Amino acid sequence: MNKHTDTPLCWHRGIPLLLALIWVWASPLALGSTPRSIENAVTLTQDTSSYTLSNGIVTAKISKHSGTLLSLNVQGQETIAIGIWSHDTTGGVDTQTRVSIDPSIHQGQRGEVSIKGISGGINMGHGPGAEQDGDFPADIEIRYCMEQGQCGLYTYCIFEHLPEYPAQSMTEARFCAGLTSIFDWISVDDKRHKYYPEPIPDEDKYCYTTVQAENRAFGFSSTTQKLGWWMINPSVEYLSGGPTKVEFLCHRHTDSRAAPVVLNYWRSSHYGGASVTVEAGEHWTKVIGPFLLYINSDGDPNELWEDARHQAELEMARWPYDWVDGVDYPQNDQRSTVHGQLCLNDPWMPGGSRLTGKLTVGLAHAPYLAPSAYGGTREITWQLNAKHYQFWTEVHDSNGTFSIPHVRPGIYTLYAFADGILGEFTQAEITVSPGGDPVNLGQLQWTPIRHGPQLWDIGIPNRTATEFVNGERYFEPGIQIEYTQRFPQDVNYVIGTSDYSQNWYFQHIPHNEDGQLEIAPYRGVLGQGRATPYTVNFNLDQVPRGKAALRLAICGTDAKKLEVQVNGTQAGTIELGIADGVITRHQIQGLWVERELTFATSLLHEGQNQLQLIIPAGSVNQGVIYDYVRLELDQRR
């Protein structure tokens, strides 16, 4: 099989020889995304109930009633059972259908259809968590677009809440494709890329969640048909939770005879969830997508996934798409590049102030309050925001220079965090004006919070816990059971001697002593445990004056509180906040939070000292996952 670096692998079996020779001349693999001949031009047909788009490679059938993708057929091979937007176009006062791009007047280069449901103030959508009579009062327009020569189909959805519509909060929102049973190889990320004919015993679908922003091409392939089916996100600006959001990408649905499922969630309740809440009188609109449903063939799963990732790079380079029209989707000449330099000023940093790892910089809406599912209100930060767009970039530059492209006009808060640095930089009121002029923020001084010199630290502040014991195996069902096997006497960490990759378990959970544990899909590990101390041993030449500050970066919690003892004396309790389900649901990162406890240095001794972090007794799912732990001295107090 030939390799090619410029055009994607794509379907070509069963094509007439002469046409195949034309395509092979253009690409050793097969069709690329550039039109090659009139034979693969887009055509559009319709009847009273559906539209059919075809380009001779892919044929898509779309319901005029709901906007559901009824069929995605490749040269006679059906690839889906159904493709559904959770918020479809049914349930309102009217449904409007139209051809938004007519291929007959565009030389067959592109065709697009639109199905729009008019809410009239009635709740629309019947996805996960929705009430029987609907979920959210917004006009919903679903579009499908096909390109000449493209091995796939674009789709996007436009939400518009009009001022006269009532207030409401949205439940889960996604596009979901149920594939046919030919697909037996799953590709979620580098750790979950395997033969997957059916779920493994004790697994559930949460074993296959991963960071959305890091995986732009995901899906299934067929080892028997040598066919791949992929969801490709060319941008993550329309998704929730920023660059650390963990979400479903694909899994097998055990309730449907292990049917392969591929999902593009843009608002969910998973791992802390995200929020979309609108008020009465508010005009709100958001465009989800376009993203690409991509199909390729004639390769093994590794080759097909490699090609899909390459196609994702091509789509990212084309973003924003110049063919999107008539909705709130600024073209490139109306978007801007925001650039600047983060200058770290951390005089207490051991070894000197410096950026040593990945720097993540983004623009997002400022924090605001919204109704909470638990009653009252909840602060919606970028980690919880699905209502607004976000724009992020990753930088591997010790100078802190960054550039964020394709930013829509608006007013944003700039956020930044970096591997090796505890905390987060923020700067409010960043204005991006229409017209595409670059925004130069210049040098931004970042002085991370420190109360004074650190006595010791454990781990790497990087918003995850992969550096700790078993951190790379977090998604395995029942991984909690291994804690008591690896640490029968619990964690006893000696500063200056211990290695956190060998001596600090990634989950701090109640310690089961009777061995009566059961792995239960969707419920984690069933069983109870006693209180578990993590003991940190450290030496002091003398008792310092002032206060000590214990600082915790936490990247997931299923517990409510954490007790702290210093040399056998109670130093205080740390409240952990709302649980995000990371341990029960097989993850290593959810919502990242900082917690702090100060205590009198009179609790410390000259010579050997012990600080204990204690998870209370309870279910072995009710623990905490640390990103990083540090003890500082504040001698100003």
Side-chain angles (χ1 to χ4, degrees):
M1 180 174 175
N2 294 319
K3 293 291 181 183
H4 194 274
T5 58
D6 296 322
T7 54
L9 194 68
C10 194
W11 187 271
H12 64 270
R13 285 180 286 178
I15 297 172
L17 178 60
L18 178 60
L19 186 56
L21 289 174
I22 295 173
W23 284 328
V24 170
W25 171 79
S27 166
L29 289 177
L31 290 174
S33 57
T34 303
R36 303 303 185 193
S37 78
I38 194 64
E39 300 298 330
N40 52 56
V42 178
T43 61
L44 169 64
T45 58
Q46 59 179 304
D47 56 29
T48 56
S49 63
S50 64
Y51 290 111
T52 299
L53 288 165
S54 182
N55 61 7
I57 311 161
V58 178
T59 300
K61 186 176 181 180
I62 298 113
S63 167
K64 287 183 174 180
H65 172 63
S66 62
T68 296
L69 181 61
L70 302 173
S71 171
L72 191 59
N73 190 290
V74 184
Q75 295 290 329
Q77 175 70 65
E78 183 57 70
T79 66
I80 69 167
I82 200 166
I84 302 173
W85 283 92
S86 58
H87 291 72
D88 61 19
T89 58
T90 63
V93 298
D94 190 20
T95 302
Q96 301 171 354
T97 63
R98 66 188 177 95
V99 177
S100 43
I101 301 177
D102 188 343
S104 67
I105 61 175
H106 289 85
Q107 296 76 49
Q109 292 182 5
R110 188 179 309 281
E112 183 183 82
V113 296
S114 164
I115 302 90
K116 184 174 183 178
I118 305 301
S119 161
I122 298 172
N123 285 341
M124 306 277 280
H126 300 85
E131 298 291 338
Q132 188 173 2
D133 60 351
D135 174 50
F136 192 76
D139 296 346
I140 295 172
E141 181 180 5
I142 296 172
R143 294 185 182 184
Y144 294 92
C145 180
M146 185 174 288
E147 283 187 353
Q148 182 179 10
Q150 176 63 282
C151 312
L153 180 72
Y154 296 94
T155 185
Y156 56 118
C157 185
I158 303 98
F159 288 76
E160 185 173 17
H161 177 272
L162 300 178
E164 59 267 30
Y165 291 174
Q168 185 60 283
S169 295
M170 185 181 290
T171 60
E172 296 195 345
R174 64 188 187 176
F175 178 83
C176 174
L179 308 188
T180 56
S181 60
I182 64 171
F183 294 98
D184 57 6
W185 189 287
I186 191 170
S187 299
V188 175
D189 57 19
D190 290 331
K191 298 183 183 71
R192 273 72 58 86
H193 171 59
K194 64 180 184 177
Y195 184 58
Y196 192 49
E198 59 185 22
I200 295 170
D202 298 325
E203 278 192 343
D204 58 50
K205 62 184 180 179
Y206 290 93
C207 294
Y208 293 88
T209 58
T210 191
V211 179
Q212 259 184 323
E214 295 176 358
N215 299 279
R216 300 294 189 91
F218 51 92
F220 281 84
S221 48
S222 170
T223 59
T224 58
Q225 303 297 314
K226 297 187 181 299
L227 187 70
W229 202 104
W230 312 97
M231 194 90 72
I232 292 179
N233 275 313
S235 171
V236 293
E237 66 184 52
Y238 43 81
L239 303 179
S240 67
T244 60
K245 176 61 177 171
V246 171
E247 196 50 86
F248 286 120
L249 304 187
C250 42
H251 58 78
R252 282 195 176 272
H253 199 301
T254 55
D255 298 332
S256 304
R257 296 184 181 180
V261 177
V262 186
L263 303 130
N264 211 19
Y265 262 101
W266 68 273
R267 181 269 183 255
S268 82
S269 57
H270 310 130
Y271 306 111
S275 173
V276 177
T277 298
V278 292
E279 303 295 333
E282 180 180 0
H283 182 222
W284 170 79
T285 185
K286 189 174 183 181
V287 180
I288 311 303
F291 50 87
L292 176 63
L293 314 179
Y294 178 66
I295 301 170
N296 55 8
S297 69
D298 290 344
D300 64 32
N302 290 323
E303 293 167 322
L304 293 169
W305 194 28
E306 178 186 355
D307 172 68
R309 286 172 153 178
H310 175 61
Q311 183 66 30
E313 293 176 358
L314 298 178
E315 300 300 325
M316 290 164 65
R318 295 176 63 192
W319 186 270
Y321 296 124
D322 59 11
W323 44 265
V324 178
D325 189 34
V327 296
D328 181 26
Y329 181 87
Q331 293 297 325
N332 205 42
D333 61 358
Q334 292 299 304
R335 297 177 180 236
S336 298
T337 297
V338 177
H339 55 93
Q341 182 181 13
L342 260 296
C343 300
L344 186 68
N345 178 26
D346 189 358
W348 292 110
M349 185 176 183
S353 180
R354 67 208 182 282
L355 292 169
T356 59
K358 179 179 68 178
L359 171 66
T360 304
V361 187
L363 293 164
H365 195 278
Y368 63 98
L369 296 178
S372 170
Y374 302 94
T377 59
R378 185 183 191 184
E379 184 181 48
I380 305 303
T381 64
W382 62 262
Q383 292 186 87
L384 298 167
N385 197 332
K387 183 178 180 178
H388 304 96
Y389 300 98
Q390 301 189 31
F391 305 87
W392 294 85
T393 189
E394 289 184 359
V395 178
H396 296 267
D397 182 350
S398 60
N399 292 321
T401 301
F402 66 88
S403 179
I404 308 172
H406 311 311
V407 181
R408 296 168 56 108
I411 299 175
Y412 300 93
T413 296
L414 183 81
Y415 299 92
F417 54 91
D419 290 358
I421 308 298
L422 177 58
E424 183 173 278
F425 174 86
T426 64
Q427 181 162 312
E429 299 296 323
I430 305 296
T431 300
V432 177
S433 301
D437 292 333
V439 178
N440 186 355
L441 301 179
Q443 291 188 337
L444 304 171
Q445 300 298 318
W446 181 12
T447 303
I449 294 172
R450 283 188 187 263
H451 301 294
Q454 71 181 50
L455 291 176
W456 48 261
D457 66 347
I458 300 171
I460 303 170
N462 57 6
R463 310 240 162 179
T464 185
T466 52
E467 68 267 28
F468 298 128
V469 177
N470 275 358
E472 292 294 328
R473 298 172 52 210
Y474 64 88
F475 51 86
E476 297 180 15
I479 195 70
Q480 295 102 300
I481 295 173
E482 289 199 19
Y483 171 69
T484 56
Q485 299 166 359
R486 297 286 295 267
F487 295 90
Q489 303 302 316
D490 294 316
V491 166
N492 192 53
Y493 195 90
V494 181
I495 298 298
T497 302
S498 295
D499 179 347
Y500 52 74
S501 67
Q502 301 295 321
N503 305 112
W504 189 275
Y505 203 74
F506 84 101
Q507 295 174 334
H508 188 181
I509 56 177
H511 187 125
N512 178 267
E513 295 180 302
D514 59 17
Q516 300 300 310
L517 294 174
E518 175 190 353
I519 302 172
Y522 300 97
R523 294 186 292 161
V525 174
L526 304 184
Q528 299 293 307
R530 61 163 169 78
T532 303
Y534 271 24
T535 301
V536 182
N537 302 277
F538 58 101
N539 186 71
L540 291 176
D541 293 334
Q542 60 182 14
V543 177
R545 59 180 177 84
K547 294 279 188 179
L550 175 65
R551 301 185 62 193
L552 305 179
I554 294 170
C555 56
T557 178
D558 281 289
K560 294 182 179 180
K561 63 181 181 179
L562 189 68
E563 303 292 338
V564 180
Q565 290 187 7
V566 177
N567 292 322
T569 299
Q570 187 77 9
T573 299
I574 296 175
E575 300 295 332
L576 297 176
I578 296 174
D580 55 18
V582 289
I583 295 175
T584 304
R585 292 182 167 179
H586 320 300
Q587 252 304 324
I588 198 165
Q589 62 186 95
L591 295 179
W592 186 91
V593 296
E594 286 188 80
R595 294 290 184 263
E596 182 176 303
L597 176 71
T598 59
F599 58 88
T601 55
S602 59
L603 296 179
L604 298 173
H605 300 158
E606 183 178 333
Q608 288 299 313
N609 290 266
Q610 283 191 344
L611 184 146
Q612 289 187 316
L613 305 170
I614 304 171
I615 281 290
S619 163
V620 293
N621 294 316
Q622 293 176 343
V624 65
I625 298 180
Y626 304 106
D627 168 23
Y628 178 67
V629 181
R630 187 161 81 200
L631 185 65
E632 298 175 352
L633 286 177
D634 186 353
Q635 297 179 329
R636 300 167 301 175
R637 304 191 186 200

